[in-house]
Coordinates of all heavy atoms in Angstrom, one line a residue:
M1 N 8.3 -13.9 -4.7 CA 8.2 -12.6 -4.0 C 9.1 -12.7 -2.8 O 9.2 -13.8 -2.1 CB 6.8 -12.4 -3.6 CG 6.5 -11.2 -2.8 SD 4.9 -10.9 -2.2 CE 3.9 -11.3 -3.6
S2 N 9.7 -11.6 -2.4 CA 10.6 -11.7 -1.3 C 9.8 -11.3 0.0 O 9.6 -12.2 0.8 CB 11.8 -10.7 -1.5 OG 11.3 -9.4 -1.8
K3 N 9.5 -10.1 0.2 CA 8.9 -9.7 1.5 C 7.6 -8.9 1.1 O 7.6 -8.1 0.2 CB 9.8 -8.8 2.3 CG 9.3 -8.5 3.6 CD 10.3 -7.6 4.4 CE 11.2 -8.5 5.3 NZ 12.0 -7.7 6.2
L4 N 6.6 -9.1 2.0 CA 5.4 -8.3 1.9 C 5.4 -7.3 3.0 O 5.5 -7.7 4.2 CB 4.1 -9.2 2.0 CG 2.8 -8.4 2.1 CD1 2.5 -7.6 0.9 CD2 1.6 -9.4 2.4
H5 N 5.3 -6.0 2.7 CA 5.2 -5.0 3.7 C 3.8 -4.5 3.7 O 3.1 -4.3 2.7 CB 6.1 -3.8 3.3 CG 7.5 -4.1 3.1 ND1 8.4 -4.0 4.2 CD2 8.2 -4.6 2.1 CE1 9.6 -4.3 3.7 NE2 9.5 -4.7 2.5
T6 N 3.2 -4.4 4.9 CA 1.9 -3.9 5.1 C 1.9 -2.6 5.8 O 2.6 -2.4 6.8 CB 0.9 -4.9 5.8 OG1 1.4 -5.0 7.2 CG2 0.9 -6.2 5.1
V7 N 1.0 -1.6 5.3 CA 0.9 -0.3 5.9 C -0.6 0.0 6.1 O -1.3 0.0 5.2 CB 1.5 0.8 5.0 CG1 1.4 2.2 5.6 CG2 3.0 0.5 4.7
N8 N -1.0 0.3 7.4 CA -2.4 0.5 7.6 C -2.6 1.9 8.2 O -3.7 2.3 8.6 CB -2.9 -0.5 8.6 CG -2.4 -0.4 10.0 OD1 -1.3 0.1 10.2 ND2 -3.1 -0.9 11.0
K9 N -1.6 2.8 8.2 CA -1.7 4.1 8.7 C -1.7 5.1 7.6 O -0.9 4.9 6.6 CB -0.6 4.5 9.7 CG -0.5 3.5 10.9 CD -1.7 3.6 11.8 CE -1.6 2.7 13.0 NZ -2.8 2.3 13.6
S10 N -2.4 6.2 7.7 CA -2.4 7.2 6.7 C -1.1 7.9 6.7 O -0.5 8.2 7.7 CB -3.5 8.3 7.1 OG -3.3 9.4 6.3
P11 N -0.5 8.2 5.5 CA 0.7 8.9 5.4 C 0.6 10.3 5.8 O 1.7 11.0 6.0 CB 1.0 8.8 3.9 CG -0.3 8.7 3.2 CD -1.2 7.9 4.2
F12 N -0.6 10.8 6.2 CA -0.8 12.2 6.6 C -0.8 12.3 8.1 O -0.9 13.4 8.7 CB -2.0 12.7 6.0 CG -2.1 12.5 4.5 CD1 -3.1 11.7 4.0 CD2 -1.1 13.1 3.7 CE1 -3.1 11.5 2.6 CE2 -1.1 12.8 2.4 CZ -2.1 12.0 1.8
E13 N -0.7 11.1 8.8 CA -0.6 11.2 10.3 C 0.5 10.4 10.9 O 0.9 10.6 12.0 CB -1.9 10.7 10.9 CG -2.3 9.2 10.6 CD -3.6 8.8 11.2 OE1 -4.6 9.1 10.6 OE2 -3.5 8.1 12.3
K14 N 1.1 9.5 10.1 CA 2.3 8.7 10.5 C 3.3 8.6 9.4 O 2.9 8.8 8.2 CB 1.8 7.3 10.9 CG 0.9 7.1 12.0 CD 1.6 7.1 13.3 CE 0.6 6.8 14.4 NZ 1.3 6.7 15.7
S15 N 4.5 8.3 9.7 CA 5.5 8.2 8.7 C 5.7 6.7 8.3 O 6.7 6.4 7.6 CB 6.8 8.8 9.2 OG 7.3 8.1 10.3
S16 N 4.8 5.9 8.6 CA 4.9 4.4 8.3 C 5.2 4.1 6.8 O 6.1 3.3 6.5 CB 3.6 3.7 8.7 OG 3.4 3.9 10.0
L17 N 4.4 4.8 5.9 CA 4.6 4.5 4.5 C 5.9 4.9 4.0 O 6.6 4.2 3.3 CB 3.5 5.2 3.7 CG 3.5 5.0 2.2 CD1 3.5 3.5 1.8 CD2 2.4 5.8 1.5
E18 N 6.3 6.1 4.4 CA 7.6 6.7 4.0 C 8.8 5.8 4.5 O 9.7 5.4 3.7 CB 7.8 8.1 4.5 CG 9.1 8.8 4.1 CD 9.2 10.2 4.6 OE1 8.2 10.7 5.1 OE2 10.3 10.8 4.5
S19 N 8.7 5.3 5.7 CA 9.7 4.4 6.3 C 9.7 3.0 5.5 O 10.7 2.5 5.2 CB 9.5 4.2 7.8 OG 9.6 5.3 8.5
C20 N 8.5 2.6 5.3 CA 8.4 1.3 4.6 C 9.1 1.4 3.2 O 9.9 0.5 2.8 CB 6.9 1.0 4.4 SG 6.5 -0.3 3.2
L21 N 8.7 2.4 2.4 CA 9.3 2.5 1.1 C 10.8 2.7 1.1 O 11.5 2.3 0.2 CB 8.5 3.7 0.3 CG 7.0 3.4 0.1 CD1 6.4 4.6 -0.6 CD2 6.8 2.1 -0.7
A22 N 11.3 3.4 2.1 CA 12.7 3.6 2.2 C 13.5 2.3 2.5 O 14.6 2.1 2.2 CB 13.0 4.6 3.3
H23 N 12.8 1.3 3.1 CA 13.4 0.1 3.5 C 13.1 -1.1 2.6 O 13.7 -2.2 2.7 CB 13.1 -0.3 4.9 CG 13.8 0.6 5.9 ND1 13.2 1.8 6.4 CD2 15.0 0.5 6.5 CE1 14.0 2.4 7.2 NE2 15.1 1.6 7.3
A24 N 12.0 -1.0 1.8 CA 11.6 -2.1 0.9 C 12.7 -2.3 -0.2 O 13.1 -1.4 -0.8 CB 10.2 -1.8 0.3
S25 N 13.0 -3.6 -0.3 CA 14.0 -3.9 -1.4 C 13.3 -4.1 -2.7 O 12.1 -4.4 -2.8 CB 14.8 -5.1 -1.0 OG 14.0 -6.2 -0.7
D26 N 14.1 -4.1 -3.8 CA 13.6 -4.3 -5.1 C 12.8 -5.7 -5.1 O 13.3 -6.7 -4.6 CB 14.7 -4.4 -6.1 CG 15.3 -3.0 -6.4 OD1 14.8 -2.0 -5.8 OD2 16.3 -2.9 -7.1
G27 N 11.7 -5.7 -5.8 CA 10.9 -6.9 -5.9 C 10.0 -7.1 -4.8 O 9.2 -8.1 -4.8
A28 N 10.0 -6.3 -3.7 CA 9.1 -6.5 -2.6 C 7.7 -6.0 -3.0 O 7.5 -5.4 -4.0 CB 9.6 -5.7 -1.4
A29 N 6.7 -6.4 -2.2 CA 5.4 -6.0 -2.3 C 5.0 -5.2 -1.1 O 5.4 -5.4 0.0 CB 4.5 -7.2 -2.5
V30 N 4.1 -4.2 -1.4 CA 3.6 -3.3 -0.3 C 2.1 -3.3 -0.4 O 1.6 -3.0 -1.5 CB 4.1 -1.8 -0.5 CG1 3.5 -0.9 0.5 CG2 5.7 -1.8 -0.4
L31 N 1.4 -3.7 0.6 CA 0.0 -3.7 0.7 C -0.5 -2.5 1.6 O -0.1 -2.4 2.7 CB -0.6 -5.0 1.2 CG -2.1 -5.0 1.4 CD1 -2.8 -5.0 0.0 CD2 -2.5 -6.3 2.2
L32 N -1.3 -1.7 1.0 CA -1.9 -0.5 1.7 C -3.3 -0.9 2.1 O -4.1 -1.3 1.2 CB -1.9 0.7 0.9 CG -0.6 1.1 0.3 CD1 -0.8 2.3 -0.7 CD2 0.4 1.5 1.3
F33 N -3.7 -0.9 3.4 CA -5.0 -1.2 3.8 C -5.4 -0.3 5.0 O -4.6 0.5 5.4 CB -5.1 -2.7 4.2 CG -4.4 -3.1 5.5 CD1 -5.1 -3.4 6.6 CD2 -3.0 -3.2 5.5 CE1 -4.4 -3.8 7.8 CE2 -2.3 -3.6 6.6 CZ -3.0 -3.9 7.7
E34 N -6.7 -0.4 5.4 CA -7.3 0.6 6.3 C -6.9 2.0 5.9 O -7.1 2.3 4.7 CB -6.8 0.3 7.8 CG -7.3 -1.1 8.2 CD -6.7 -1.5 9.6 OE1 -5.9 -0.8 10.2 OE2 -7.2 -2.6 10.1
D35 N -6.4 2.9 6.8 CA -6.1 4.2 6.4 C -4.9 4.3 5.5 O -4.6 5.4 4.9 CB -6.0 5.2 7.6 CG -7.3 5.5 8.2 OD1 -8.4 5.3 7.5 OD2 -7.4 6.0 9.3
G36 N -4.1 3.2 5.4 CA -2.9 3.2 4.5 C -3.3 3.4 3.1 O -2.4 3.8 2.3
I37 N -4.6 3.2 2.7 CA -5.0 3.3 1.3 C -4.8 4.8 0.8 O -4.6 5.0 -0.4 CB -6.4 2.9 1.0 CG1 -7.4 3.7 1.7 CG2 -6.6 1.4 1.4 CD1 -8.1 4.8 0.9
Y38 N -4.8 5.7 1.7 CA -4.6 7.1 1.3 C -3.2 7.3 0.6 O -3.1 8.3 -0.2 CB -4.7 8.1 2.5 CG -6.1 8.1 3.0 CD1 -6.5 7.6 4.3 CD2 -7.2 8.8 2.3 CE1 -7.7 7.6 4.8 CE2 -8.5 8.8 2.8 CZ -8.8 8.2 4.0 OH -10.0 8.3 4.5
G39 N -2.3 6.5 0.9 CA -1.0 6.6 0.3 C -1.0 6.2 -1.2 O -0.1 6.5 -1.9
G40 N -2.0 5.6 -1.7 CA -2.1 5.1 -3.1 C -2.9 6.1 -3.9 O -3.1 5.8 -5.1
L41 N -3.4 7.1 -3.4 CA -4.3 8.0 -4.1 C -3.5 9.1 -4.9 O -2.5 9.6 -4.5 CB -5.3 8.8 -3.2 CG -6.2 7.9 -2.4 CD1 -7.0 8.7 -1.4 CD2 -7.1 7.1 -3.3
R42 N -4.1 9.4 -6.1 CA -3.5 10.4 -6.9 C -3.7 11.8 -6.3 O -4.7 12.0 -5.6 CB -4.1 10.4 -8.3 CG -3.6 9.4 -9.2 CD -4.0 9.7 -10.6 NE -5.1 8.7 -10.8 CZ -6.1 9.0 -11.6 NH1 -6.2 10.1 -12.3 NH2 -7.1 8.1 -11.8
G43 N -2.9 12.8 -6.6 CA -3.1 14.1 -6.2 C -2.8 14.4 -4.7 O -3.3 15.4 -4.2
T44 N -2.1 13.6 -4.0 CA -1.8 13.8 -2.6 C -0.4 14.1 -2.4 O 0.5 13.9 -3.3 CB -2.2 12.6 -1.7 OG1 -1.3 11.5 -2.0 CG2 -3.6 12.1 -2.0
A45 N 0.0 14.5 -1.2 CA 1.4 14.8 -0.9 C 2.3 13.6 -1.0 O 3.4 13.7 -1.1 CB 1.5 15.5 0.4
A46 N 1.6 12.4 -0.8 CA 2.4 11.2 -0.8 C 2.6 10.6 -2.2 O 3.4 9.6 -2.4 CB 1.7 10.1 0.1
A47 N 1.8 11.1 -3.1 CA 1.8 10.5 -4.5 C 3.2 10.4 -5.2 O 3.5 9.3 -5.7 CB 0.8 11.2 -5.4
E48 N 3.9 11.4 -5.1 CA 5.3 11.4 -5.8 C 6.2 10.3 -5.1 O 6.9 9.6 -5.9 CB 5.9 12.8 -5.6 CG 7.2 12.9 -6.5 CD 7.7 14.3 -6.4 OE1 7.0 15.3 -6.4 OE2 9.0 14.4 -6.4
T49 N 6.1 10.2 -3.9 CA 7.0 9.2 -3.2 C 6.6 7.8 -3.6 O 7.4 6.9 -3.9 CB 6.9 9.3 -1.6 OG1 7.3 10.6 -1.3 CG2 7.7 8.3 -0.9
V50 N 5.3 7.6 -3.7 CA 4.8 6.2 -4.0 C 5.1 6.0 -5.5 O 5.5 4.9 -5.9 CB 3.3 6.1 -3.7 CG1 2.7 4.8 -4.2 CG2 3.0 6.2 -2.2
E51 N 4.9 6.9 -6.3 CA 5.2 6.8 -7.8 C 6.6 6.4 -8.0 O 6.9 5.5 -8.8 CB 4.8 8.1 -8.6 CG 3.3 8.3 -8.7 CD 3.0 9.5 -9.4 OE1 3.7 10.6 -9.2 OE2 2.0 9.5 -10.2
R52 N 7.5 7.0 -7.3 CA 9.0 6.7 -7.4 C 9.2 5.2 -7.0 O 9.9 4.5 -7.6 CB 9.8 7.6 -6.6 CG 10.2 8.9 -7.3 CD 11.3 9.6 -6.6 NE 11.1 9.7 -5.1 CZ 10.6 10.8 -4.6 NH1 10.1 11.8 -5.3 NH2 10.4 10.8 -3.2
A53 N 8.5 4.8 -5.9 CA 8.7 3.5 -5.4 C 8.2 2.4 -6.3 O 8.7 1.3 -6.4 CB 8.0 3.3 -4.0
L54 N 7.2 2.8 -7.1 CA 6.6 1.8 -8.0 C 7.6 1.3 -9.1 O 7.3 0.3 -9.7 CB 5.4 2.4 -8.7 CG 4.1 2.4 -7.9 CD1 3.1 3.4 -8.5 CD2 3.5 1.0 -7.7
A55 N 8.7 2.0 -9.2 CA 9.7 1.5 -10.2 C 10.4 0.2 -9.7 O 11.0 -0.5 -10.4 CB 10.7 2.6 -10.4
S56 N 10.4 0.0 -8.3 CA 11.1 -1.1 -7.8 C 10.3 -2.1 -6.9 O 10.7 -3.2 -6.7 CB 12.3 -0.6 -7.0 OG 11.9 0.2 -5.9
V57 N 9.1 -1.6 -6.5 CA 8.3 -2.5 -5.7 C 6.9 -2.5 -6.3 O 6.5 -1.6 -7.0 CB 8.2 -2.0 -4.2 CG1 9.5 -2.0 -3.5 CG2 7.5 -0.7 -4.1
K58 N 6.1 -3.6 -6.0 CA 4.7 -3.7 -6.4 C 3.9 -3.2 -5.3 O 4.0 -3.6 -4.1 CB 4.5 -5.2 -6.8 CG 3.1 -5.4 -7.3 CD 2.9 -4.8 -8.7 CE 1.4 -5.1 -9.1 NZ 1.0 -4.1 -10.1
V59 N 2.9 -2.3 -5.6 CA 2.0 -1.8 -4.6 C 0.6 -2.2 -4.8 O 0.1 -2.2 -5.9 CB 2.1 -0.2 -4.5 CG1 1.2 0.3 -3.4 CG2 3.6 0.2 -4.3
Y60 N 0.0 -2.7 -3.7 CA -1.4 -3.2 -3.7 C -2.2 -2.4 -2.7 O -1.7 -1.9 -1.8 CB -1.5 -4.6 -3.3 CG -0.7 -5.6 -4.2 CD1 0.7 -5.9 -4.0 CD2 -1.3 -6.2 -5.3 CE1 1.4 -6.7 -4.8 CE2 -0.6 -7.1 -6.1 CZ 0.8 -7.3 -5.8 OH 1.5 -8.2 -6.6
V61 N -3.5 -2.3 -3.0 CA -4.5 -1.6 -2.1 C -5.6 -2.6 -1.9 O -6.1 -3.3 -2.8 CB -5.0 -0.3 -2.7 CG1 -6.2 0.2 -2.0 CG2 -3.9 0.8 -2.7
L62 N -6.0 -2.7 -0.6 CA -7.2 -3.6 -0.3 C -8.4 -2.8 -0.8 O -8.8 -1.8 -0.3 CB -7.2 -3.8 1.2 CG -8.2 -4.8 1.6 CD1 -8.0 -6.2 1.0 CD2 -8.2 -5.0 3.2
G63 N -9.1 -3.4 -1.7 CA -10.2 -2.8 -2.4 C -11.4 -2.5 -1.4 O -12.0 -1.5 -1.5
E64 N -11.6 -3.4 -0.5 CA -12.7 -3.1 0.5 C -12.5 -1.9 1.3 O -13.4 -1.1 1.6 CB -12.9 -4.3 1.4 CG -13.5 -5.5 0.8 CD -12.6 -6.4 0.0 OE1 -11.4 -6.0 -0.3 OE2 -13.0 -7.5 -0.5
D65 N -11.2 -1.6 1.7 CA -10.9 -0.4 2.5 C -10.9 0.8 1.6 O -11.3 1.9 2.1 CB -9.5 -0.6 3.1 CG -9.5 -1.6 4.3 OD1 -10.6 -1.9 4.8 OD2 -8.5 -2.0 4.7
L66 N -10.6 0.7 0.3 CA -10.7 1.8 -0.6 C -12.1 2.2 -0.7 O -12.5 3.4 -0.6 CB -10.1 1.4 -2.0 CG -10.0 2.4 -3.1 CD1 -9.0 3.5 -2.7 CD2 -9.7 1.8 -4.4
K67 N -13.0 1.3 -0.9 CA -14.4 1.5 -1.1 C -15.0 2.1 0.2 O -15.9 3.0 0.1 CB -15.1 0.2 -1.5 CG -16.6 0.4 -1.9 CD -17.3 -0.9 -2.3 CE -16.6 -1.4 -3.6 NZ -17.3 -2.7 -4.1
A68 N -14.6 1.5 1.3 CA -15.2 1.9 2.6 C -14.9 3.4 2.9 O -15.6 4.1 3.6 CB -14.7 1.1 3.7
R69 N -13.8 3.9 2.3 CA -13.5 5.3 2.5 C -14.0 6.2 1.3 O -13.6 7.4 1.2 CB -11.9 5.5 2.7 CG -11.6 5.0 4.1 CD -10.2 4.5 4.2 NE -9.9 4.0 5.5 CZ -10.2 2.9 6.0 NH1 -10.9 2.0 5.2 NH2 -10.0 2.5 7.2
G70 N -14.8 5.6 0.5 CA -15.5 6.4 -0.5 C -14.7 6.7 -1.8 O -15.1 7.6 -2.6
F71 N -13.7 5.9 -2.1 CA -12.9 6.1 -3.3 C -13.0 4.9 -4.2 O -13.2 3.8 -3.8 CB -11.4 6.2 -2.9 CG -11.0 7.4 -2.0 CD1 -10.8 7.2 -0.7 CD2 -11.1 8.6 -2.6 CE1 -10.5 8.3 0.1 CE2 -10.8 9.8 -1.8 CZ -10.5 9.6 -0.4
G72 N -13.0 5.3 -5.5 CA -13.0 4.3 -6.5 C -11.6 4.0 -7.0 O -10.6 4.7 -6.7
E73 N -11.4 2.9 -7.7 CA -10.1 2.6 -8.3 C -9.5 3.6 -9.2 O -8.3 3.7 -9.4 CB -10.2 1.2 -9.0 CG -10.5 0.0 -8.1 CD -10.5 -1.3 -8.8 OE1 -9.9 -1.5 -9.8 OE2 -11.3 -2.2 -8.3
D74 N -10.4 4.5 -9.8 CA -10.0 5.5 -10.7 C -9.2 6.6 -9.9 O -8.5 7.4 -10.5 CB -11.1 6.2 -11.4 CG -12.2 6.8 -10.4 OD1 -12.4 6.2 -9.3 OD2 -12.6 7.9 -10.7
R75 N -9.2 6.6 -8.6 CA -8.4 7.6 -7.8 C -7.0 7.1 -7.5 O -6.2 7.8 -7.0 CB -9.1 7.9 -6.5 CG -10.4 8.7 -6.6 CD -10.2 10.1 -7.0 NE -9.1 10.8 -6.3 CZ -9.2 11.4 -5.2 NH1 -10.3 11.5 -4.6 NH2 -8.1 12.0 -4.6
L76 N -6.7 5.8 -7.9 CA -5.4 5.3 -7.5 C -4.3 5.7 -8.5 O -4.6 5.9 -9.7 CB -5.5 3.7 -7.5 CG -6.3 3.1 -6.4 CD1 -6.4 1.6 -6.6 CD2 -5.7 3.5 -5.0
L77 N -3.1 5.7 -8.0 CA -2.0 6.0 -8.9 C -1.8 4.9 -9.9 O -2.2 3.7 -9.6 CB -0.7 6.1 -8.1 CG -0.6 7.2 -7.1 CD1 0.6 7.0 -6.1 CD2 -0.4 8.5 -7.8
N78 N -1.4 5.2 -11.1 CA -1.2 4.1 -12.1 C -0.1 3.1 -11.6 O 0.9 3.6 -11.0 CB -0.7 4.7 -13.4 CG -1.8 5.5 -14.1 OD1 -2.9 5.3 -13.9 ND2 -1.4 6.5 -14.9
G79 N -0.4 1.9 -11.8 CA 0.6 0.9 -11.4 C 0.2 0.2 -10.1 O 0.8 -0.8 -9.7
I80 N -0.8 0.7 -9.4 CA -1.2 0.1 -8.1 C -2.3 -0.9 -8.5 O -3.2 -0.6 -9.2 CB -1.7 1.1 -7.1 CG1 -0.5 2.0 -6.7 CG2 -2.4 0.5 -5.9 CD1 -0.9 3.1 -5.6
S81 N -2.2 -2.1 -7.9 CA -3.2 -3.1 -8.1 C -4.1 -3.2 -6.9 O -3.7 -3.0 -5.8 CB -2.5 -4.5 -8.3 OG -1.7 -4.4 -9.4
V82 N -5.4 -3.5 -7.1 CA -6.4 -3.7 -6.1 C -6.5 -5.2 -5.8 O -6.7 -6.0 -6.7 CB -7.7 -3.1 -6.5 CG1 -8.8 -3.4 -5.4 CG2 -7.6 -1.6 -6.8
V83 N -6.6 -5.6 -4.5 CA -6.8 -7.0 -4.1 C -7.9 -7.0 -3.2 O -8.3 -6.0 -2.5 CB -5.5 -7.6 -3.5 CG1 -4.4 -7.8 -4.5 CG2 -5.1 -6.9 -2.3
D84 N -8.6 -8.1 -3.1 CA -9.6 -8.4 -2.0 C -9.0 -9.1 -0.9 O -7.8 -9.3 -0.8 CB -10.8 -9.1 -2.6 CG -10.5 -10.5 -3.2 OD1 -9.3 -11.0 -3.0 OD2 -11.3 -11.0 -3.9
Y85 N -9.8 -9.5 0.1 CA -9.2 -10.2 1.3 C -8.5 -11.5 0.9 O -7.5 -11.8 1.5 CB -10.3 -10.4 2.3 CG -10.7 -9.2 3.1 CD1 -11.9 -8.6 2.9 CD2 -9.8 -8.6 4.0 CE1 -12.3 -7.4 3.5 CE2 -10.2 -7.4 4.7 CZ -11.4 -6.8 4.4 OH -11.7 -5.7 5.1
G86 N -9.1 -12.2 -0.1 CA -8.4 -13.4 -0.5 C -7.1 -13.1 -1.1 O -6.1 -13.9 -1.0
G87 N -7.0 -12.0 -1.9 CA -5.7 -11.6 -2.5 C -4.7 -11.2 -1.4 O -3.5 -11.5 -1.5
F88 N -5.2 -10.6 -0.3 CA -4.3 -10.2 0.8 C -3.7 -11.5 1.4 O -2.5 -11.6 1.6 CB -5.2 -9.5 1.9 CG -4.4 -8.9 3.0 CD1 -5.1 -7.9 3.8 CD2 -3.2 -9.3 3.4 CE1 -4.4 -7.3 4.9 CE2 -2.5 -8.7 4.5 CZ -3.1 -7.8 5.2
V89 N -4.6 -12.5 1.6 CA -4.0 -13.8 2.1 C -3.1 -14.4 1.1 O -2.0 -14.9 1.5 CB -5.2 -14.7 2.4 CG1 -4.7 -16.1 2.8 CG2 -6.1 -14.2 3.5
D90 N -3.4 -14.4 -0.1 CA -2.4 -15.0 -1.1 C -1.1 -14.2 -1.1 O 0.0 -14.9 -1.2 CB -3.0 -14.8 -2.6 CG -4.2 -15.8 -2.8 OD1 -4.4 -16.7 -2.0 OD2 -5.0 -15.5 -3.7
L91 N -1.1 -12.9 -1.0 CA 0.2 -12.2 -1.0 C 1.0 -12.6 0.3 O 2.2 -12.8 0.2 CB -0.1 -10.7 -0.9 CG -0.6 -10.0 -2.2 CD1 -1.0 -8.6 -1.9 CD2 0.5 -10.1 -3.3
A92 N 0.3 -12.7 1.4 CA 1.0 -13.1 2.6 C 1.6 -14.5 2.5 O 2.7 -14.8 2.9 CB 0.1 -13.0 3.8
A93 N 0.8 -15.4 1.9 CA 1.2 -16.8 1.8 C 2.4 -17.0 0.8 O 3.3 -17.8 1.0 CB 0.0 -17.7 1.3
Q94 N 2.4 -16.1 -0.2 CA 3.5 -16.2 -1.2 C 4.8 -15.5 -0.7 O 5.9 -15.8 -1.3 CB 3.1 -15.5 -2.5 CG 1.9 -16.2 -3.2 CD 1.3 -15.4 -4.3 OE1 1.8 -14.3 -4.6 NE2 0.3 -15.9 -4.9
A95 N 4.7 -14.7 0.2 CA 5.9 -13.9 0.7 C 6.8 -14.8 1.6 O 6.3 -15.7 2.3 CB 5.5 -12.7 1.5
D96 N 8.1 -14.5 1.6 CA 9.0 -15.2 2.5 C 8.8 -14.7 3.9 O 9.0 -15.4 4.8 CB 10.4 -14.9 2.1 CG 10.7 -15.5 0.7 OD1 10.1 -16.5 0.3 OD2 11.6 -14.9 -0.1
A97 N 8.4 -13.4 4.0 CA 8.2 -12.8 5.3 C 7.2 -11.6 5.2 O 7.1 -11.1 4.1 CB 9.5 -12.3 5.9
V98 N 6.5 -11.3 6.2 CA 5.6 -10.1 6.2 C 6.1 -9.1 7.3 O 6.3 -9.5 8.4 CB 4.2 -10.6 6.5 CG1 3.2 -9.4 6.6 CG2 3.7 -11.6 5.5
Q99 N 6.2 -7.9 6.9 CA 6.6 -6.8 7.7 C 5.5 -5.8 7.9 O 5.1 -5.2 6.9 CB 7.9 -6.1 7.2 CG 8.3 -4.8 7.9 CD 9.1 -5.1 9.1 OE1 10.0 -5.8 9.0 NE2 8.7 -4.4 10.2
A100 N 5.0 -5.7 9.1 CA 3.9 -4.7 9.3 C 4.5 -3.4 9.8 O 5.3 -3.4 10.8 CB 2.9 -5.2 10.4
W101 N 4.2 -2.3 9.1 CA 4.6 -1.0 9.5 C 3.5 -0.3 10.2 O 2.5 0.0 9.7 CB 5.1 -0.2 8.2 CG 6.3 -0.8 7.6 CD1 6.3 -1.9 6.7 CD2 7.6 -0.5 7.8 NE1 7.6 -2.1 6.3 CE2 8.4 -1.3 7.0 CE3 8.2 0.5 8.6 CZ2 9.8 -1.2 7.0 CZ3 9.6 0.6 8.5 CH2 10.4 -0.3 7.8
L102 N 3.8 0.0 11.5 CA 2.7 0.6 12.3 C 2.9 2.1 12.5 O 3.9 2.7 12.3 CB 2.7 -0.1 13.7 CG 2.6 -1.6 13.6 CD1 2.7 -2.2 15.0 CD2 1.2 -2.0 13.0

């Protein structure tokens, strides 16, 4: 894995996710957590942008934050993987670098 990008802001209040996806290189991983999980949901204004990005980057959502906001995994875009806190740590440990998008 090259770089892990983390996004914790909703795509409906900040442009963090859009900026992240514009700069993430092929093979990078993007982890959506806290309000960033809204970027992984189907049927939103951000869905098309994230679906296009899935062709070149791997997108993960922190399951605990998804559940805390009342969503099930069935609401996620196809191709997004759910990780727990241990998975979050594993992604960070495997990455050459971690970029937090605020």
Side-chain angles (χ1 to χ4, degrees):
M1 182 185 310
S2 55
K3 186 180 266 189
L4 173 63
H5 300 267
T6 63
V7 178
N8 69 338
K9 303 295 183 205
S10 168
F12 311 115
E13 64 180 80
K14 298 275 186 176
S15 61
S16 305
L17 179 59
E18 186 177 345
S19 296
C20 166
L21 296 176
H23 289 89
S25 57
D26 289 355
V30 176
L31 175 67
L32 306 175
F33 69 108
E34 297 176 352
D35 285 344
I37 65 98
Y38 292 109
L41 299 177
R42 278 193 262 151
T44 69
E48 187 176 324
T49 300
V50 175
E51 285 178 322
R52 276 195 309 270
L54 283 165
S56 60
V57 300
K58 182 69 180 157
V59 179
Y60 300 88
V61 165
L62 187 62
E64 285 84 349
D65 288 343
L66 184 69
K67 188 180 295 183
R69 283 154 181 81
F71 297 107
E73 293 181 26
D74 60 318
R75 290 290 315 274
L76 292 174
L77 295 167
N78 291 333
I80 293 181
S81 299
V82 177
V83 295
D84 59 12
Y85 285 108
F88 188 161
V89 172
D90 290 342
L91 289 171
Q94 294 167 4
D96 297 329
V98 178
Q99 170 81 49
W101 293 84
L102 305 174

